[in-house]
Amino acid sequence: MVKAANSRGTAPGTPPRARILVVGGGYVGMYTALRLQQKLRAGEAEVTVVTPEPYMTYQPFLPEAAAGSISPRHVVVPLRRVLGDCRIVIGEARRIDHAKRTATVTTLATEEEGAGALQLEYDELVLAPGSISRTLPIPGLADYGIGFKTVEEAIGLRNHVLEQMDIASSTRDPAIRDAALTFVFVGGGYAGVEALGELEDMARYAARYYHNVKPEDMKWILVEASDRILPEVGPEMGKYTVRELRRRNIDVRLETRLDSCENRVAVLSDGTSFPTRTVVWTAGVKPHPVLAASDLPRNERGRLACTAFLTVDGTEHAWAAGDAAAVPDITAEEPGRECAPNAQHALRQARVLADNLLASLRGEVLTEYAHKYAGSVASLGLHKGVAHVYGRKLKGYPAWLMHRIYHLSRVPTVNRKMRVLAEWTLAGLFKREIVSLGSLEHPRAEFELAAGGGPTTPPPKPPKPSQG
């Protein structure tokens, strides 16, 4: 692979610096930029990272953040601090014209400037925008559904659950109370199962502080379209998880779909319906829209067609990994298998991608990405979990402990590791926090009321992409 010509001005007698554009500040984007920052020679290249948020979210900690075990600010990693030698552009990549080596980017300032979107030129492109929630045209879902892919959604869901308990405690209407204490989670993957397990655990604990709300008053329902949950941990551990959840009086509905949630009533495909004020949607993801707004090749599912070298297939100077990339799994026994779009692969792919990009710039040999899946761990609440790692199956406290140790080792930066460890230690010494801070979502409401304008409800935000 030959480095693209660089038209930027440089000092006479010095080679032009390569312009590397990283789209996305998630697992792949941050770790790729970090490794490039560490290994680039002086003056060899400049790295620009385009990301909608100034931080990387460590998504495996979202359920614990929702349960109050970890502070929200410790679930995220500030990119400007970690990537001090990179240029950080807070904005959204709207279009990629790889033939012209340009990316169209909108930022927080472009609308106010009125001068249109930015046109960023590059020589090498790393496309890692991640994914967004995959929703279905279910009546009422857009009006009442709650996502669980960002730290804002996780904390918002925590506030919402505690607010429903407050409503149930104070209402005089049995129907409103029943709907407030019914929580429906759609999707039996990691996000759905871990979020339900942690929040049910938190609500069960919080109920001891309500004089008229008991744990048995609450209904927790998990809806999964397939015949099992947590397929990553294997059939045996998946069945154990179902038994464990049902033992906690959680209603697990397999081979069932959500047909409607209009008028705050969840209607399931098995004919049952539940009045509810909480429908949490975790039923899968789809590729980021910027992939469709590019001239790069995609597969039938809309992900970028990639090689084992983490290059975009048939395209020079374009690289991809993570949720956005269909990377062949060369360790699989069956031909045609692709690497699963999860954090385990994303972290490792980022290292190989950065090394291969550097090798390409320097005219060296590229390396294929090869990693055999090590296994999976999942938390089901405090001191409860399941794990299937390197062929070993664990459940209960040992699995929960392994879950914490593994993710503590993987969360970026020593700063965040120490803060999370300190919070876990303090949580073991003191009682849980059960405070709802839902007013944070509308911080100007109090002032608007005092100023005489009355509180205003901000328009709903579009779903944020989860970056790869």
Side-chain angles (χ1 to χ4, degrees), residues 223-225 254-260 267-272:
V223 179
E224 168 55 40
L254 301 178
E255 298 183 282
T256 307
R257 299 179 308 278
L258 176 69
D259 284 346
S260 171
V267 180
L268 306 184
S269 60
D270 60 7
T272 57

Side-chain angles (χ1 to χ4, degrees), residues 274-298:
F274 303 92
T276 178
R277 298 168 63 91
T278 308
V279 176
V280 183
W281 182 267
T282 64
V285 296
K286 63 182 179 181
H288 192 285
V290 74
L291 303 187
S294 74
D295 53 354
L296 298 170
R298 296 176 293 145

